[in-house]
Each structure stands twice: as C-alpha cells, then as structure tokens.
Amino acid sequence: MKQQFFKGMRHGVPIMLGYLSVSFGFGVLCIRQNLSILAAVGISVTNLTSAGQVAGVEIIAASGSLVEMILCQLVINLRYSLMSLSLSQKLAPSFTLMHRLFVGYGITDEIFAVASSRKEPLTPPYMYGLILTPFLGWSFGTLIGAIAGDIMPASVTAALSLMLYAMFIAIIIPPAKKNKKVLLVVLLAAALSVVIHYCLPMISGGFAVIIAALVSSVIGALFFPVSAEERGEAAS
C-alpha cells in the first residue's frame, strides 16, 4: 500500500508544479476581488477546479445569487462526473464506495489524464497519492498568491491576475488549432458573451457564462456532431 501511495505522489509531482503557478494567479485574483486570504485558501481547498473557482469568485464579487452559483458550477464542472465515470471502469476491487467518494473529490483534468493512462487497475493508495501532491500544490500556490496580492501594489497584482486567463487561452488553442469545429464553437461562445455583456446588461456575469456555454455547446452538437471516425479515434 505504501509503495502504491508514494508512486502516486511521484506521478503527481509534475501536476503539482504546474498548479503552483496557476493557483498563484488565483490567489492574487481573490485579493483583487476583496476576498480574504483565508477565503482564497478555503475556496482552493474545497473546490479543485480552476475555471469553476474563477467563475465562482466573479459571482461572489458581483453579489450573485446562490442559484446562479450552483448553476454556474454545475455547467463548468459537469465534465468531472464524466471523467469519474470513465475512471470507474479501471478501479481495483478494493475500491469501496467510501474510497470512490473521496477520490471523486480530487478528480481534475490533469489527474484524470495521468490515471486513465495507467494500464494496471487503479488502487485507493495510488489515487490518494496522485491527488495529494497536486492538492498541496494548488492550495499552497493559492496561499502564496493571496499573501503576495495582499502586500504588492495594485498595478502588480492586476498584471499577475492575468495568469489565469492566459492559462485558459493556452488550454483552448491546441484543440482549436487541431479541429476547426472546436474553434467555431469557442468563437461562438466568446461572441455570445460579448453580446450579452453589451446588449443585455441586466444579465449577470455568472448567468452570461452559463448561457454562452450552453447555447454554443448545443449549436456545436447540432451542426458539428462527432463523426464515426472521430469516435473511433477517441476510443483508441
């Protein structure tokens, strides 16, 4: 069990290093939105999702409603349920319901990618180790960013907070360059967001994200369905 746990920790180190820089930007963003250092760290400890956290902080800063927050997090984080369902096919028999619940808390895009690439069955100790190091990196990076944002000049924190948005752009560009359909859906979502912001100012930022994501996704599914060839490539 210890061997599996430490193997998981080693495999999580590259993710941890990446999370340190990204979560630093999130910590700075929280301070810019007048949240406390404790609140910033608390959000990162309880909600391991960069996009969901950023959207949640924006809703908090705009005094959004609880319903708005719930819907926004549901739309943004729904993919983690699909990832968990996929990983459930690779779990070892020792994975009890309680282990599944704990591990489900720590599933992120990067952790899913590493875990799904493993050929042998996933054991609880391995998954706990794989989740622990990225969790520490994400939480500690948020703490450092929040402390730095609390003592640095506003001009510097404004520049550093752009790190998160740069990360989102970096995530979008590779699949958009590879698949023009993805690019069109991304551009549609961006256009809808701009239209809502300027033409429908009564709609809050959180609901704007929900509407833009849902509408662009539905249009993409209707006009650009996944072909049988693409499904075969994904399965392989």
Side-chain angles (χ1 to χ4, degrees), residues 77-92 95 97 100-101 103-108 111-113 115-116 122 127:
N77 298 324
L78 185 61
R79 69 187 190 279
Y80 294 128
S81 298
L82 302 178
M83 293 178 189
S84 297
L85 286 173
S86 176
L87 286 181
S88 68
Q89 309 303 310
K90 298 175 63 68
L91 300 182
F95 249 101
L97 176 60
R100 291 169 184 256
L101 292 175
V103 168
Y105 153 81
I107 297 299
T108 65
I111 291 173
F112 168 77
S116 61
L122 300 171
M127 290 302 300

Coordinates of all heavy atoms in Angstrom, one line a residue, residues 77-92 95 97 100-101 103-108 111-113 115-116 122 127:
N77 N -18.4 22.3 -14.2 CA -17.7 21.2 -13.6 C -18.4 19.8 -13.9 O -18.0 18.8 -13.4 CB -17.7 21.3 -12.1 CG -16.9 22.5 -11.6 OD1 -15.9 22.8 -12.3 ND2 -17.3 23.2 -10.6
L78 N -19.4 19.9 -14.8 CA -20.1 18.6 -15.2 C -19.1 17.6 -15.8 O -19.3 16.4 -15.6 CB -21.2 18.9 -16.1 CG -22.1 17.8 -16.5 CD1 -22.8 17.2 -15.3 CD2 -23.2 18.2 -17.5
R79 N -18.1 18.1 -16.4 CA -17.2 17.2 -17.1 C -16.5 16.2 -16.1 O -16.1 15.1 -16.5 CB -16.1 18.0 -17.9 CG -15.1 18.7 -17.0 CD -14.3 19.6 -17.9 NE -13.1 20.2 -17.2 CZ -13.2 21.3 -16.4 NH1 -14.4 21.9 -16.3 NH2 -12.2 21.8 -15.8
Y80 N -16.3 16.7 -14.9 CA -15.7 15.8 -13.9 C -16.5 14.6 -13.6 O -15.9 13.5 -13.2 CB -15.4 16.6 -12.6 CG -14.4 17.7 -12.8 CD1 -14.7 19.0 -12.4 CD2 -13.2 17.5 -13.4 CE1 -13.8 20.1 -12.6 CE2 -12.2 18.5 -13.6 CZ -12.6 19.8 -13.1 OH -11.7 20.8 -13.3
S81 N -17.8 14.7 -13.7 CA -18.6 13.5 -13.5 C -18.4 12.5 -14.6 O -18.3 11.3 -14.3 CB -20.1 13.9 -13.5 OG -20.4 14.8 -12.4
L82 N -18.2 13.0 -15.8 CA -17.9 12.1 -16.9 C -16.6 11.5 -16.8 O -16.4 10.3 -17.1 CB -18.0 12.9 -18.2 CG -19.4 13.5 -18.5 CD1 -19.3 14.3 -19.8 CD2 -20.5 12.5 -18.5
M83 N -15.6 12.2 -16.3 CA -14.3 11.7 -16.1 C -14.3 10.6 -15.0 O -13.7 9.5 -15.1 CB -13.3 12.8 -15.6 CG -13.0 13.8 -16.7 SD -11.9 15.1 -16.1 CE -12.0 16.3 -17.4
S84 N -15.1 10.8 -13.9 CA -15.2 9.9 -12.8 C -15.8 8.6 -13.3 O -15.4 7.5 -13.0 CB -15.9 10.4 -11.7 OG -15.3 11.6 -11.1
L85 N -16.8 8.7 -14.2 CA -17.5 7.5 -14.7 C -16.5 6.7 -15.6 O -16.5 5.5 -15.6 CB -18.7 7.9 -15.6 CG -19.9 8.4 -14.8 CD1 -21.0 9.0 -15.8 CD2 -20.5 7.3 -14.0
S86 N -15.7 7.4 -16.3 CA -14.7 6.7 -17.2 C -13.7 6.0 -16.3 O -13.3 4.8 -16.6 CB -14.0 7.8 -18.1 OG -12.9 7.1 -18.8
L87 N -13.2 6.7 -15.2 CA -12.2 6.0 -14.4 C -12.8 4.9 -13.6 O -12.0 4.0 -13.2 CB -11.6 7.1 -13.4 CG -10.6 8.1 -14.0 CD1 -10.1 9.0 -12.9 CD2 -9.4 7.4 -14.6
S88 N -14.1 4.9 -13.4 CA -14.7 3.8 -12.6 C -14.5 2.4 -13.3 O -14.6 1.4 -12.6 CB -16.2 4.1 -12.4 OG -16.9 4.0 -13.6
Q89 N -14.2 2.4 -14.6 CA -14.0 1.2 -15.3 C -12.6 0.6 -15.0 O -12.3 -0.5 -15.4 CB -14.2 1.4 -16.8 CG -15.5 2.1 -17.2 CD -16.7 1.4 -16.6 OE1 -16.8 0.2 -16.8 NE2 -17.6 2.1 -16.0
K90 N -11.7 1.4 -14.4 CA -10.3 1.0 -14.2 C -10.0 0.8 -12.7 O -8.9 0.5 -12.4 CB -9.4 2.1 -14.8 CG -9.5 2.3 -16.3 CD -8.6 3.5 -16.7 CE -7.2 3.2 -16.5 NZ -6.6 2.1 -17.3
L91 N -11.0 0.8 -11.9 CA -10.8 0.7 -10.4 C -10.6 -0.7 -10.0 O -11.2 -1.6 -10.5 CB -11.9 1.3 -9.7 CG -12.2 2.8 -9.9 CD1 -13.4 3.3 -9.0 CD2 -11.0 3.7 -9.7
A92 N -9.7 -0.9 -9.1 CA -9.4 -2.2 -8.5 C -10.6 -2.6 -7.6 O -11.4 -1.8 -7.1 CB -8.1 -2.2 -7.7
F95 N -11.7 -0.8 -4.2 CA -12.3 0.5 -4.2 C -13.7 0.4 -3.7 O -14.7 0.1 -4.4 CB -12.3 1.1 -5.6 CG -11.4 2.3 -5.8 CD1 -10.2 2.1 -6.4 CD2 -11.8 3.5 -5.3 CE1 -9.3 3.2 -6.5 CE2 -10.9 4.6 -5.4 CZ -9.7 4.5 -6.0
L97 N -17.2 2.1 -1.8 CA -18.0 3.3 -2.0 C -17.3 4.5 -1.4 O -17.3 5.6 -2.0 CB -19.4 3.2 -1.5 CG -20.3 4.4 -1.7 CD1 -20.4 4.8 -3.1 CD2 -21.7 4.1 -1.1
R100 N -14.4 5.7 -3.3 CA -14.9 6.4 -4.6 C -15.3 7.8 -4.3 O -15.0 8.7 -5.1 CB -16.1 5.6 -5.2 CG -15.7 4.3 -5.8 CD -16.9 3.5 -6.1 NE -16.6 2.1 -6.6 CZ -16.7 1.8 -7.9 NH1 -17.0 2.6 -8.8 NH2 -16.4 0.5 -8.2
L101 N -16.0 8.0 -3.1 CA -16.4 9.4 -2.8 C -15.2 10.3 -2.5 O -15.2 11.5 -3.0 CB -17.3 9.3 -1.6 CG -18.7 8.7 -1.8 CD1 -19.4 8.6 -0.4 CD2 -19.5 9.4 -2.8
V103 N -12.0 9.9 -3.6 CA -11.3 10.1 -4.8 C -12.0 11.0 -5.8 O -11.4 11.8 -6.5 CB -10.9 8.8 -5.5 CG1 -10.4 8.9 -6.9 CG2 -9.9 8.0 -4.6
G104 N -13.3 10.9 -5.8 CA -14.1 11.8 -6.7 C -13.9 13.2 -6.4 O -14.0 14.1 -7.3
Y105 N -13.6 13.6 -5.2 CA -13.4 15.0 -4.8 C -12.1 15.5 -5.5 O -12.1 16.7 -5.9 CB -13.2 15.0 -3.3 CG -12.3 16.2 -2.8 CD1 -12.8 17.5 -2.7 CD2 -11.0 16.0 -2.5 CE1 -12.0 18.5 -2.3 CE2 -10.2 17.0 -2.1 CZ -10.7 18.3 -2.0 OH -9.9 19.3 -1.5
G106 N -11.2 14.7 -5.7 CA -9.9 15.1 -6.3 C -9.7 15.0 -7.8 O -8.6 15.2 -8.2
I107 N -10.7 14.6 -8.5 CA -10.5 14.4 -9.9 C -10.5 15.7 -10.6 O -11.4 16.5 -10.6 CB -11.6 13.5 -10.5 CG1 -11.6 12.1 -9.9 CG2 -11.5 13.4 -12.0 CD1 -10.4 11.3 -10.2
T108 N -9.3 16.0 -11.3 CA -9.2 17.2 -12.2 C -8.8 16.7 -13.6 O -8.6 15.5 -13.8 CB -8.2 18.1 -11.6 OG1 -6.9 17.5 -11.7 CG2 -8.4 18.5 -10.2
I111 N -5.2 15.1 -13.4 CA -5.2 13.9 -12.6 C -5.9 12.8 -13.4 O -5.5 11.6 -13.4 CB -5.9 14.1 -11.2 CG1 -5.0 15.0 -10.4 CG2 -6.1 12.7 -10.5 CD1 -5.6 15.4 -9.0
F112 N -7.0 13.1 -14.0 CA -7.7 12.1 -14.9 C -6.8 11.6 -16.0 O -6.8 10.4 -16.3 CB -9.0 12.8 -15.5 CG -9.6 12.0 -16.6 CD1 -10.4 10.8 -16.3 CD2 -9.4 12.3 -17.9 CE1 -10.9 10.1 -17.3 CE2 -10.0 11.6 -18.9 CZ -10.8 10.5 -18.6
A113 N -6.1 12.6 -16.6 CA -5.2 12.2 -17.7 C -4.1 11.2 -17.3 O -3.9 10.2 -18.0 CB -4.5 13.4 -18.3
A115 N -4.2 9.2 -14.5 CA -4.8 8.0 -14.0 C -5.4 7.1 -15.2 O -5.2 5.9 -15.2 CB -6.0 8.3 -13.0
S116 N -6.0 7.8 -16.2 CA -6.5 7.0 -17.3 C -5.4 6.4 -18.1 O -5.7 5.4 -18.9 CB -7.4 7.9 -18.1 OG -6.7 9.0 -18.7
L122 N -6.5 0.8 -10.9 CA -6.2 1.9 -10.0 C -6.6 1.5 -8.6 O -7.7 1.1 -8.3 CB -7.0 3.1 -10.4 CG -6.7 3.7 -11.8 CD1 -7.7 4.8 -12.2 CD2 -5.3 4.2 -11.9
M127 N -4.3 6.4 -6.0 CA -5.1 7.6 -6.3 C -5.0 8.6 -5.2 O -5.0 9.8 -5.5 CB -6.6 7.2 -6.5 CG -6.9 6.4 -7.7 SD -6.4 7.2 -9.3 CE -7.4 8.7 -9.2

